[in-house]
Amino acid sequence: MIREMRFVVSVPDEVSAYAVAEKLAERGHLLVAVREVPTDPLEDRFAGWWRAHSLAVDPPYEGLLEVSPAEKKAVAAIARKYGGQVNSACGHFPDKAIERFSREGLAYELDRAEADRIRAELVGGQPAAPSLPAPPGLRCGGFRRPAADLRAAVEVVPFEGRTFDGVGDLIAAIANDAFPQGSVVPATPGAVPRLAALAGADGVSDFYRAMTLMVLFQMSTAGRRRLAYQADAPEDGGAETPAETATRAAVAAVLPGLAVGRSELAVFLLAGLSAATREAGAAMSAGLERIAGRYAGTARSPVVDLIRAVADGAEEPIRTATAAVVAALPEVVDGVQSTKATVEGRALDTLDTVLQWELDNARLPKLGTVFGPR
């Protein structure tokens, strides 16, 4: 397989954009184009800025088609050198990738053999990142019968006049309506009690309860993570919006009523959520300590330390714990974070990535098996 990576870098002016383009070509990016940021209300903060768009294709390898963390860091360093930021870094399947890349504003088009030579040297010259043993996925209970699961869910979160394929579809509907594309809107705080009801519903499968905890985490931290992500962008006020602040408060208000102990996955996600809202109670701490003991010596240990540090709120321990997670999980956390971002913002961005990884890699029982509380 081939790893294909697309990058979009924004910088304040045209000269800087061409300088970035040159640096990307020097890294073996096969195609690099320079374009002015289009006029768009969603792009107001980048009015007058320019962008370098690039495509890099790495030598054959086995595994998922994802962006190399090392390449993300290198491109981010180039962007910051010229006063800009990386807006996008994503991996795709390579089929027809070169043909689909827009040639508008094309600044560099490397010979494929030359690009392959440069990329092979860069990839081969990267030192192996030290990492702790990968932990097994956190345990999570099985799925109930879909129809019964959905009936239990709509009893606590009724949707008049709408039908759903399952609980996952219901959760997606709530998120799409009140948290579109991960952005807090005026309707977001009002959706928090509905998600909390799903997370606490005994008749809903454990995995879906965990999904709602993940959405609640993302809602409550959206403002701080957004500010961390935009730290290299033109000034946008540097503060949470009223809706983001209200959402944080709404999540903090429902936390005391959320049960813990249904599954390792739920306990871990709830611990992260509680820490992020500074509502870490004794029950959360006890559950987190059990998991810490069970997975001691694995790459999950630094994540536990990060949750503890975020809950305590002291900057230096948070900074140290964030760096430890990046080092322990290099293939999960890319570590591309603005030096202008707050320590808390960088930590929450890291924790968001790791908690989502935990959700995606949970240990589920074989089909047809239901785990009870533990």
Side-chain angles (χ1 to χ4, degrees):
M1 289 185 178
I2 297 174
R3 174 158 49 196
E4 178 257 315
M5 300 171 281
R6 294 175 184 265
F7 293 91
V8 178
V9 177
S10 295
V11 287
D13 54 68
E14 184 179 6
V15 172
S16 297
Y18 276 99
V20 169
E22 181 179 10
K23 295 297 183 183
L24 296 178
E26 289 174 357
R27 291 192 62 80
H29 288 216
L30 190 63
L31 295 165
V32 189
V34 174
R35 305 167 198 149
E36 189 173 8
V37 175
T39 302
D40 186 330
L42 297 177
E43 300 271 39
D44 279 349
R45 69 182 187 279
F46 290 108
W49 280 43
W50 286 71
R51 283 182 176 146
H53 302 253
S54 72
L55 172 70
V57 182
D58 272 0
Y61 88 118
E62 296 297 327
L64 295 173
L65 293 174
E66 296 179 345
V67 176
S68 158
E71 193 62 21
K72 274 189 179 182
K73 293 175 185 177
V75 174
I78 293 170
R80 293 194 188 106
K81 178 179 179 180
Y82 293 95
Q85 71 172 84
V86 178
N87 290 114
S88 176
C90 55
H92 296 276
F93 288 95
D95 296 344
K96 299 184 178 179
I98 296 172
E99 291 84 351
R100 291 173 180 171
F101 187 89
S102 172
R103 262 62 173 183
E104 178 188 352
L106 190 66
Y108 294 92
E109 183 171 7
L110 275 63
D111 176 78
R112 181 61 183 271
E114 176 65 5
D116 283 352
R117 182 191 65 76
I118 296 171
R119 294 301 304 158
E121 288 180 357
L122 286 172
V123 173
Q126 293 166 3
S131 59
L132 294 169
L138 291 165
R139 292 185 299 177
C140 185
F143 292 95
R144 292 176 167 81
R145 291 183 178 85
D149 218 18
L150 185 57
R151 280 196 301 272
V154 297
E155 282 180 5
V156 295
V157 184
F159 265 89
E160 297 296 334
R162 294 176 66 175
T163 58
F164 304 95
D165 294 331
V167 179
D169 189 27
L170 172 60
I171 296 170
I174 296 173
N176 289 338
D177 289 348
F179 193 45
Q181 297 182 337
S183 297
V184 169
V185 296
T188 309
V192 169
R194 306 171 82 187
L195 289 165
L198 275 177
D202 288 336
V204 175
S205 292
D206 287 351
F207 187 77
Y208 294 128
R209 288 156 56 96
M211 280 181 64
T212 62
L213 293 174
M214 188 68 230
V215 176
L216 286 170
F217 176 89
Q218 292 173 333
M219 285 181 167
S220 67
T221 61
R224 289 168 288 175
R225 290 185 293 107
R226 174 184 61 79
L227 292 171
Y229 174 76
Q230 294 180 356
D232 287 318
E235 291 296 329
D236 63 353
E240 286 183 320
T241 66
E244 288 168 345
T245 302
T247 301
R248 286 179 66 182
V251 173
V254 300
L255 271 177
L258 292 180
V260 296
R262 275 288 292 262
S263 69
E264 284 185 341
L265 179 62
V267 168
F268 205 65
L269 292 174
L270 186 56
L273 174 59
S274 300
T277 54
R278 301 285 194 271
E279 295 288 337
M284 182 282 284
S285 299
L288 185 63
E289 293 308 316
R290 285 194 296 271
I291 290 175
R294 188 170 294 157
Y295 298 101
T298 72
R300 189 167 288 127
S301 295
V303 183
V304 172
D305 291 340
L306 178 58
I307 292 174
R308 291 172 179 147
V310 170
D312 290 341
E315 278 201 4
E316 195 53 42
I318 292 176
R319 183 183 288 108
T320 300
T322 301
V325 171
V326 172
L329 293 166
E331 295 303 316
V332 177
V333 185
D334 57 43
V336 179
Q337 298 173 323
S338 170
T339 55
K340 298 178 184 177
T342 66
V343 171
E344 181 188 45
R346 278 180 269 169
L348 293 175
D349 182 60
T350 299
L351 195 52
D352 175 63
T353 300
V354 175
L355 292 181
Q356 184 63 58
W357 175 74
E358 293 282 15
L359 185 69
D360 293 342
N361 290 279
R363 272 186 291 167
L364 300 172
K366 293 180 179 180
L367 191 64
T369 304
V370 177
F371 285 169
R374 51 176 166 275

